[in-house]
Amino acid sequence: MNLVSLPITAIYAALSAFLVIALAANVVRYRLSKHVSLGDGGHKDVTRAIRAHGNTVEYVPLALILMALLELNGASDTALHIYGITLVAGRTLYGYGMLFPKPSANLPRQIGVVTSWLVILAAGVQLLII
């Protein structure tokens, strides 16, 4: 049996899992407080909580798959840690920006989107060249 170990990707998968659960629990908290059993019940704060969770669930798996493939293909530990830290920090900022929006430009949300895109783009490019 040939076992494969992905210790660096595992760190960021675990941290991402904690973030996803925290965002999911936040959705439940908002729904309970608004007596909403399904959907958003027409409440903007519930909609924001749902999208903070959903958007994270949409982006994180692809980024982690790319990181795992890079780790399997011998990418440097430094690159993997940069991707992982950037991904988790960006997703955390995005969640914060969604849950605590500002009336003007929402910098945490914008940084979260851009960092997620950059991780996915850079990891994809790196996979093509290694």
Side-chain angles (χ1 to χ4, degrees), residues 6-17 19 56 59-68 70-71 75-93 111-112 115-124 126:
L6 302 169
I8 296 172
T9 302
I11 292 167
Y12 299 104
L15 293 173
S16 296
L19 178 60
T56 298
Y59 281 102
V60 166
L62 178 57
L64 290 173
I65 289 168
L66 291 168
M67 287 178 60
L70 283 169
E71 194 164 4
S76 75
D77 291 358
T78 301
L80 290 164
H81 282 297
I82 289 170
Y83 292 146
I85 290 166
T86 303
L87 176 68
V88 172
R91 290 286 85 206
T92 301
L93 282 171
I111 292 170
T115 56
S116 297
W117 289 354
L118 286 174
V119 167
I120 291 168
L121 181 65
Q126 188 175 353

Side-chain angles (χ1 to χ4, degrees), residues 44-75:
K44 289 182 181 182
D45 50 353
V46 180
T47 301
R48 285 193 303 270
I50 290 168
R51 287 311 310 144
H53 174 259
N55 191 275
T56 298
V57 169
E58 292 162 6
Y59 281 102
V60 166
L62 178 57
L64 290 173
I65 289 168
L66 291 168
M67 287 178 60
L69 291 169
L70 283 169
E71 194 164 4
L72 287 170
N73 283 283

